[in-house]
Amino acid sequence: MTDDAIQQPEIHALFSEQQLRERVAELAEQISRDYAGKHPLLVGVLKGAWVFMADLVRRLTVPTRCDFLKLSSYGDGTATSGRVQLHLDLSTPAEGQDILVIEDIVDTGTCVLWLLDHLRRKKPASIRLCALLDNPARRITPITIDYVGFTIPNCFVVGYGIDWKERFRELPYIGRLA
Ligand code: IMP
Ligand code: MG
């Protein structure tokens, strides 16, 4: 592969803006029903989940609190390093809260497994997981995802907040790298 091919990878659309909008609205409806009468603490996982969370939260009909934490395991490649690092923790107390974790994609499951354990130590009343994308073919650890946007074939995706080497987060759709 030439340097140019590496710099300009081909991206094939997987989910259009409209498909994302419709699915996010459906997820929001389901989450709003399930959390009726509650005041969940939405925990967005930076950076990948930021666009999804921004769209989702505006569709919810229950009041929320929003907080973020920042993890990394991927480095610059397209395969998980297996090591999870916490770069930023919650700034609001989580004890007794109904936490809904908002993830971009669950792939090997390494990050989410680490994250759920980290959050459980804060003694929330409940924890559920919402992931826009699920790539079950790459899973190495069993994970229950309470709310899934789309299940994807085994590929590397970008767009709608999700990056490859910090690129393509701004794409309004989700595509797979060729
Ligand atoms: P996991 O620990 O392998 O499940 O994945 C952890 C994180 O890696 C995800 O939350 C994403 O931020 C990132 N990731 C996993 N798969 C992809 C992908 O296909 N494209 C871009 N980032 C990904
Ligand atoms: Mg992520």
Side-chain angles (χ1 to χ4, degrees), residues 45-49 71-75 77-82 84 102-114 133 135 138-141 143 152-159 161-165 169 175-177:
V45 185
L46 296 173
K47 302 180 202 168
L71 294 181
S72 71
S73 82
Y74 257 56
T78 56
T80 183
S81 69
V84 179
I102 312 292
E103 258 285 23
D104 52 356
I105 175 167
V106 179
D107 198 279
T108 63
T110 309
C111 274
V112 160
L113 190 72
W114 188 95
L133 303 176
N135 183 349
R138 288 177 49 90
R139 198 79 91 255
I140 56 174
T141 182
I143 297 284
I152 60 167
N154 191 5
C155 61
F156 193 83
V157 296
V158 294
I162 302 171
D163 76 308
W164 173 68
K165 296 189 179 184
R169 292 192 197 274
R176 67 172 171 79
L177 284 193

Side-chain angles (χ1 to χ4, degrees), residues 6 16-17 40-42 44 48 59 65 77 88 93 96 104 106 110-111 115 121 123 133 141 152 154 156 175 178:
I6 294 168
S16 67
E17 281 188 75
L41 173 63
L42 267 51
R59 290 282 191 163
R65 296 182 185 85
L88 175 75
D104 52 356
V106 179
T110 309
C111 274
L115 179 63
R121 290 166 202 259
K123 308 210 181 316
L133 303 176
T141 182
I152 60 167
N154 191 5
F156 193 83

Side-chain angles (χ1 to χ4, degrees), residues 51-71:
V51 175
F52 170 45
M53 182 163 161
D55 282 348
L56 183 75
V57 74
R58 284 177 290 174
R59 290 282 191 163
L60 294 176
T61 56
V62 287
T64 64
R65 296 182 185 85
C66 294
D67 204 345
F68 297 90
L69 43 74
K70 187 162 186 280
L71 294 181

Side-chain angles (χ1 to χ4, degrees), residues 2-168:
T2 65
D3 275 2
D4 278 346
I6 294 168
Q7 294 307 313
Q8 295 300 336
E10 263 180 67
I11 297 172
H12 301 273
L14 269 183
F15 304 110
S16 67
E17 281 188 75
Q18 189 180 340
Q19 283 174 300
L20 289 166
R21 203 164 33 243
E22 286 172 6
R23 188 66 190 123
V24 168
E26 286 170 2
L27 286 174
E29 218 181 289
Q30 193 186 348
I31 291 167
S32 298
R33 252 197 325 269
D34 293 354
Y35 283 88
K38 296 194 170 161
H39 192 169
L41 173 63
L42 267 51
V43 174
V45 185
L46 296 173
K47 302 180 202 168
W50 128 79
V51 175
F52 170 45
M53 182 163 161
D55 282 348
L56 183 75
V57 74
R58 284 177 290 174
R59 290 282 191 163
L60 294 176
T61 56
V62 287
T64 64
R65 296 182 185 85
C66 294
D67 204 345
F68 297 90
L69 43 74
K70 187 162 186 280
L71 294 181
S72 71
S73 82
Y74 257 56
D76 268 357
T78 56
T80 183
S81 69
R83 270 179 307 115
V84 179
Q85 275 181 293
L86 180 69
H87 297 283
L88 175 75
D89 205 350
L90 299 185
S91 61
T92 41
E95 189 170 346
Q97 300 296 315
D98 292 304
I99 291 183
L100 179 60
V101 175
I102 312 292
E103 258 285 23
D104 52 356
I105 175 167
V106 179
D107 198 279
T108 63
T110 309
C111 274
V112 160
L113 190 72
W114 188 95
L115 179 63
L116 292 177
D117 183 60
H118 175 74
L119 291 173
R120 275 190 202 108
R121 290 166 202 259
K122 296 178 186 284
K123 308 210 181 316
S126 68
I127 306 188
R128 286 187 191 160
L129 172 63
C130 172
L132 177 64
L133 303 176
D134 181 14
N135 183 349
R138 288 177 49 90
R139 198 79 91 255
I140 56 174
T141 182
I143 297 284
T144 302
I145 310 177
D146 301 284
Y147 307 96
V148 180
F150 299 98
T151 299
I152 60 167
N154 191 5
C155 61
F156 193 83
V157 296
V158 294
Y160 199 63
I162 302 171
D163 76 308
W164 173 68
K165 296 189 179 184
E166 288 304 323
R167 295 180 61 191
F168 309 119

